[in-house]
Amino acid sequence: MTRTLVPWTASPTRLFEALRREMNELMDQFFGSENGSDLGLWFAPRVNVAETDTAFEVSVDLPGMKPEDFSVELKEGHLWITGERRQETEEKGKTYHRVERQYGRFQRVIPLPAAVNPDKIEAEYKDGVLRITLPKDESAQPKRIPVKT
């Protein structure tokens, strides 16, 4: 049995150019284009997570939102921050030349590396920043061990 060899006519350069173009389109759909003209498909507020000996401290940027627009929950060792930023309605007589602000539903799930005391969690929302303090459970806090001489 013999087979006829078919020459490969596609140029490797054209193949890689097509792949590059498709990847750029995919990234623009997901993150938005570099010039900011397209919004990404998701909205994720920026988060800082810090740890001290006694607690975890989480800060979330939620400018322009009201406390009733989002919720904070502790589920199975994870901090869940969910909500929705609603898009402002367009006004008649206005022509938008650029729209960069992100809108839509969001969900941030932050795994906590140690047990926390759920009864002492505090959350404060001020000036567009949500600050959450999650005190560590006593079993997760460092213990100083005295050394005898």
Side-chain angles (χ1 to χ4, degrees):
M1 176 168 148
T2 61
R3 293 186 181 206
T4 306
L5 292 176
V6 179
W8 187 34
T9 57
S11 162
T13 305
R14 272 191 270 154
L15 285 174
F16 285 116
E17 179 62 29
L19 176 63
R20 184 189 64 76
R21 187 173 45 256
E22 287 180 33
M23 289 300 294
N24 284 344
E25 288 173 8
L26 179 65
M27 292 301 205
D28 284 349
Q29 286 177 353
F30 189 69
F31 294 112
S33 66
E34 288 180 2
N35 65 11
S37 62
D38 299 322
L39 293 176
L41 298 176
W42 53 277
F43 164 57
R46 304 290 186 202
V47 175
N48 287 350
V49 180
E51 180 179 3
T52 65
D53 285 344
T54 59
F56 296 102
E57 298 170 353
V58 178
S59 300
V60 186
D61 287 342
L62 298 171
M65 295 184 71
K66 298 175 185 152
E68 55 268 15
D69 294 336
F70 55 86
S71 68
V72 180
E73 297 175 280
L74 181 66
K75 298 184 204 174
E76 300 173 3
H78 292 74
L79 180 66
W80 291 62
I81 304 164
T82 57
E84 183 173 7
R85 180 182 289 159
R86 301 191 197 297
Q87 187 169 6
E88 298 169 353
T89 57
E90 292 186 23
E91 298 175 28
K92 282 189 169 190
K94 264 190 187 176
T95 302
Y96 285 87
H97 295 279
R98 182 179 282 271
V99 177
E100 294 183 357
R101 297 178 69 197
Q102 294 180 317
Y103 301 95
R105 293 195 52 73
F106 65 88
Q107 177 178 340
R108 297 298 308 258
V109 180
I110 302 165
L112 301 171
V116 297
N117 185 337
D119 298 327
K120 294 187 178 179
I121 296 173
E122 294 180 2
E124 177 188 19
Y125 183 66
K126 184 178 177 185
D127 297 330
V129 179
L130 172 63
R131 288 186 175 80
I132 306 163
T133 304
L134 303 114
K136 290 181 184 178
D137 192 61
E138 282 195 30
S139 64
Q141 291 184 17
K143 303 256 190 281
R144 190 159 207 46
I145 300 168
V147 179
K148 297 177 184 176
T149 58

